[in-house]
Amino acid sequence: MADKNLPTDGRFTRLFDHFKREWQIYAMLLPTIVWFIVFLYKPMYGLQIAFKDYSIFRGVAGSPWIGIEHFQTLFGNDQFLRAVSNTIKISALNLLFGFPAPIILALMFNEILHATYKRTAQTIVYLPHFISSVIIAGIVITAFSPTLGIVNIILGWFGLDSIYFLTQPQWFRPIFVGTGIWQEAGFGSIVFLAAIAGVNPSLYESAVVDGANRWQMMWKITIPSILPTILIMLIIRIGNVMEVSFELVILLYQPATYETADVVNTWIYRQGLQSGQYDLAAAGGLFNAVVAFVLVMTANTLSRRFSRTSLW
Amino acid sequence: MQNWNLYARGDKIFAIVVSILIGMFTVATLYPFIYIAAVSFSSGFAAQAGKVVLTPVDATLEAYGYIIKDPQFWISYRNTFIYTIGGTIMSLLFIIPGAYALSRRQLKGRRFFNLFIAFTMWFNAGLIPFFLNMRDLNLLDSMFGIILAFAVNAFNIILLRNFFEAIPQSFEEAARMDGANDFQVLWKVFVPLSKPAIATITLFCIVSRWNGFFWAMVLLQSEEKIPLKVFLRHTISNLSDDDEFAIVQTAAGFSAETVTAAIIVCSIIPVLIVYPFIQKYFEKGILLGGVKE
């Protein structure tokens, strides 16, 4: 029957009534959806230049397809490969040193009895999180300066020669990772402190009866109790391996330290925004985004196993 | 549970050691700020000679005198306020109604729209397509472009949507009885009940706008449009290798470093002023953010 494929009158009317009755919520949603299309989905369409010989004059749609040529260039490009390797190395260092820092801090805060002392210390260590990376970089550049920097002043006290830290490749990663810990460890401890606050107090009470000391309680009760939180935060971290805070890298690195400092996003920035090789840089970006997507999805699946709810 | 008088000797020692370690970390967090402030109030000569450690040496206001005479400093300071206030208002205008609509059960395609928004947290086109898109939209070197293009993010919408979803139906029903439409329900019922969540999101917006730097640097060319952070970046990279400046500074009591430090101090002060007031919100906010979907 022909009219089988057409919506019945009833469905039409119902739909019409629905929109007539509920048009306001669609009106409220519309600006947000349009915003997402214009500012986030349209660039995804523009990603096709990774497979094209892009020219500004022809535009995204008009530029000719060239297949995977950019990706072949990319994987033969020493600088790009170095950037991928640097990204992974910096992330690994962040994971090794930056990840435990807020946990240790939260465990220590938990042992402090004096409420005002604890509060004051917390207020201070949360602060750097709210400071812009430009200022953080300004502070780091000043503090590590060869002439007036406090670090070299202290080296001088011990009779050591002053070092121009920010021009030496071997110093970049320690400084970068250390800066990250200084800036984020305090703020990162909030999540773990909340988890510690949720531990059942009766566990501690029975431990006291059994004559356990604080050190034992920390290892036998607190840490096992917050283990799910630790695991989830670890998984999120692993999902974000490609996301090195490149803003801070741009502010702190220089040609002399590219060797250890250049990460994928800073390479894209120089290649694309500074040298105008948009298509090749976009290919690098697509590679980065796909790897990040796979990692995040894997992380989400893993976290489902550890907690009832997923991360999203 | 934690009572000092009941502590055994070992526990007391442990608590004291931990307190000292926390104290050291706190001092280490605070020290760079004190050091930068000390540099900013020191003479250029003293700073260059590496004499500044904790307090200003040859205390002077020369560095501040230099920056307040620079009209660009005031222009970019003003711009930062415009971006922060304008950007935050723009964000709320999108996020509040958007989150409300997504929290409604009767919204058709609700699952799709939620996924449509959440997907952008997992996959991002990256710097280059975003930049080219801004150019195609004619939003390069545009203050309005900066305010609009960074107004929304998936995380904030989802955070507020979750909060809205948790509001019991009964609150809404009373308003519906009085004939309220969705706009009125949102404004008179949901917004007042969601003050902590909205305050948290407002805070996130303000902080990210105040600190926003990278895209402002990339997208804005005109000096009269740049925010303070880009001005600071220019100052850091220009001052040190500017010969003319080197000659001027030798005569005056400041140096590239003391001027940089002074700009840093000026840019941190507003943050320090509002910081005590916002603290209770961000602690709540980060925990709200943990309870996704």
Side-chain angles (χ1 to χ4, degrees):
Chain A
M1 300 270 268
D3 59 351
K4 223 180 177 180
N5 296 325
L6 292 169
T8 61
D9 275 358
R11 249 172 82 190
F12 243 161
T13 328
R14 273 211 306 279
L15 209 60
F16 183 75
D17 283 347
H18 171 79
F19 284 114
K20 201 177 156 190
R21 197 174 59 244
E22 305 286 355
W23 66 270
Q24 288 172 337
I25 57 173
Y26 294 94
M28 289 189 212
L29 187 61
L30 188 67
T32 298
I33 297 298
V34 170
W35 187 93
F36 272 89
I37 293 171
V38 172
F39 290 107
L40 295 176
Y41 281 93
K42 228 183 109 219
M44 289 185 202
Y45 167 80
L47 257 180
Q48 59 180 274
I49 64 168
F51 303 97
K52 285 186 160 183
D53 182 15
Y54 177 72
S55 99
I56 299 173
F57 308 103
R58 289 205 186 115
V60 171
S63 297
W65 294 94
I66 54 162
I68 57 163
E69 204 181 300
H70 291 311
F71 290 91
Q72 285 164 338
T73 315
L74 222 47
F75 293 110
N77 183 324
D78 289 343
Q79 281 192 20
F80 178 75
L81 296 175
R82 186 182 69 189
V84 173
S85 136
N86 283 342
T87 307
I88 293 167
K89 283 177 191 159
I90 291 176
S91 280
L93 287 174
N94 269 333
L95 212 57
L96 200 60
F97 297 101
F99 181 70
I103 303 173
I104 295 168
L105 206 54
L107 290 170
M108 294 208 297
F109 274 129
N110 188 45
E111 296 301 325
I112 293 182
L113 295 171
H114 196 285
T116 318
Y117 182 67
K118 184 173 166 181
R119 200 75 220 136
T120 312
Q122 283 178 316
T123 305
I124 291 169
V125 302
Y126 297 163
L127 179 65
H129 172 80
F130 295 94
I131 304 297
S132 156
S133 48
V134 186
I135 291 184
I136 302 291
I139 293 175
V140 170
I141 290 167
T142 313
F144 285 92
S145 142
T147 50
L148 82 167
I150 182 66
V151 179
N152 276 316
I153 293 177
I154 292 169
L155 287 182
W157 292 345
F158 294 98
L160 297 164
D161 285 337
S162 110
I163 301 171
Y164 198 168
F165 287 98
L166 291 169
T167 58
Q168 303 200 351
Q170 76 269 29
W171 283 107
F172 183 85
R173 284 179 203 149
I175 291 173
F176 184 81
V177 173
T179 305
I181 293 174
W182 174 77
Q183 190 180 5
E184 295 296 342
F187 194 76
S189 73
I190 294 177
V191 172
F192 299 106
L193 278 168
I196 291 173
V199 179
N200 185 351
S202 63
L203 291 175
Y204 294 104
E205 281 153 21
S206 45
V208 171
V209 174
D210 292 345
N213 62 33
R214 295 293 308 170
W215 177 257
Q216 289 166 326
M217 284 190 246
M218 183 177 94
W219 282 99
K220 300 267 167 63
I221 301 171
T222 315
I223 294 177
S225 304
I226 65 168
L227 211 53
T229 309
I230 294 177
L231 273 177
I232 288 179
M233 297 312 283
L234 182 65
I235 289 165
I236 294 177
R237 272 290 185 105
I238 293 170
N240 291 337
V241 158
M242 299 312 280
E243 299 251 331
V244 170
S245 46
F246 76 102
E247 238 186 58
L248 190 59
V249 177
I250 287 183
L251 292 160
L252 287 180
Y253 78 166
Q254 41 185 291
T257 53
Y258 282 176
E259 181 188 332
T260 55
D262 196 18
V263 292
V264 176
N265 271 326
T266 50
W267 179 87
I268 293 170
Y269 166 70
R270 284 201 317 280
Q271 206 67 33
L273 299 178
Q274 291 188 325
S275 315
Q277 269 195 294
Y278 297 118
D279 41 13
L280 183 63
L286 180 58
F287 169 77
N288 207 32
V290 169
V291 173
F293 182 75
V294 171
L295 287 171
V296 172
M297 283 298 132
T298 315
N300 193 23
T301 316
L302 281 175
S303 86
R304 264 197 201 116
R305 296 210 183 150
F306 293 115
S307 66
R308 299 250 164 69
T309 53
S310 72
L311 294 176
W312 295 284
Chain B
M1 168 188 82
Q2 283 173 312
N3 186 331
W4 183 252
N5 296 323
L6 297 177
Y7 266 29
R9 228 183 89 136
D11 284 345
K12 285 187 180 173
I13 293 170
F14 180 49
I16 290 167
V17 170
V18 166
S19 301
I20 292 169
L21 289 175
I22 287 283
M24 283 164 63
F25 188 75
T26 309
V27 170
T29 306
L30 209 51
Y31 174 73
F33 296 108
I34 294 168
Y35 164 69
I36 287 293
V39 170
S40 78
F41 288 110
S42 298
S43 75
F45 297 113
Q48 285 299 342
K51 286 182 185 156
V52 184
V53 173
L54 189 65
T55 50
V57 179
D58 299 346
T60 169
L61 290 171
E62 293 272 3
Y64 290 91
Y66 175 78
I67 57 170
I68 62 168
K69 269 184 258 153
D70 186 347
Q72 187 59 45
F73 170 73
W74 295 108
I75 291 170
S76 39
Y77 218 131
R78 180 206 63 191
N79 290 346
T80 295
F81 273 100
I82 295 174
Y83 290 125
T84 304
I85 296 167
T88 303
I89 293 171
M90 184 69 88
S91 297
L92 295 175
L93 285 177
F94 278 99
I95 292 170
I96 294 174
Y100 175 82
L102 289 170
S103 76
R104 306 272 79 191
R105 294 226 161 68
Q106 62 269 39
L107 182 81
K108 286 204 188 293
R110 182 159 164 252
R111 274 185 68 88
F112 168 79
F113 288 125
N114 276 316
L115 193 65
F116 183 80
I117 284 166
F119 181 73
T120 62
M121 295 202 297
W122 314 319
F123 189 84
N124 190 304
L127 307 180
I128 304 301
F130 185 84
F131 172 80
L132 295 177
N133 184 43
M134 289 298 278
R135 204 187 50 197
D136 292 345
L137 293 167
N138 244 327
L139 290 176
L140 294 189
D141 203 24
S142 149
M143 293 186 81
F144 179 71
I146 296 275
I147 289 176
L148 182 65
F150 303 96
V152 191
N153 71 52
F155 181 79
N156 284 344
I157 290 200
I158 292 173
L159 195 153
L160 189 60
R161 185 206 65 196
N162 287 350
F163 203 89
F164 282 163
E165 278 174 354
I167 292 175
Q169 281 254 293
S170 51
F171 286 98
E172 185 188 336
E173 274 157 15
R176 293 276 183 200
M177 299 272 230
D178 296 336
N181 60 30
D182 280 297
F183 290 103
Q184 289 160 332
V185 168
L186 171 58
W187 185 245
K188 292 194 180 142
V189 181
F190 279 67
V191 169
L193 286 172
S194 311
K195 271 188 198 145
I198 293 174
T200 301
I201 288 168
T202 309
L203 170 73
F204 287 163
C205 293
I206 291 175
V207 170
S208 79
R209 290 291 182 167
W210 184 265
N211 291 337
F213 152 72
F214 177 75
W215 283 110
M217 173 185 80
V218 170
L219 297 172
L220 300 171
Q221 278 97 47
S222 317
E223 297 258 281
E224 76 262 19
K225 290 172 187 164
I226 62 170
L228 191 60
K229 297 291 148 33
V230 178
F231 172 66
L232 175 62
R233 164 71 171 160
H234 288 175
T235 313
I236 294 173
S237 48
N238 290 345
L239 284 189
S240 40
D241 40 44
D242 189 341
D243 290 341
E244 214 174 304
F245 184 80
I247 296 162
V248 175
Q249 73 180 46
T250 325
F254 55 84
S255 71
E257 288 82 3
T258 64
V259 170
T260 305
I263 301 174
I264 290 177
V265 170
C266 292
S267 148
I268 289 182
I269 284 170
V271 179
L272 291 183
I273 292 171
V274 296
Y275 183 66
F277 301 102
I278 63 176
Q279 202 192 344
K280 67 171 181 179
Y281 288 113
F282 67 70
E283 282 187 47
K284 252 185 233 155
I286 196 168
L287 299 176
L288 275 178
V291 199
K292 291 177 208 160
E293 194 150 341

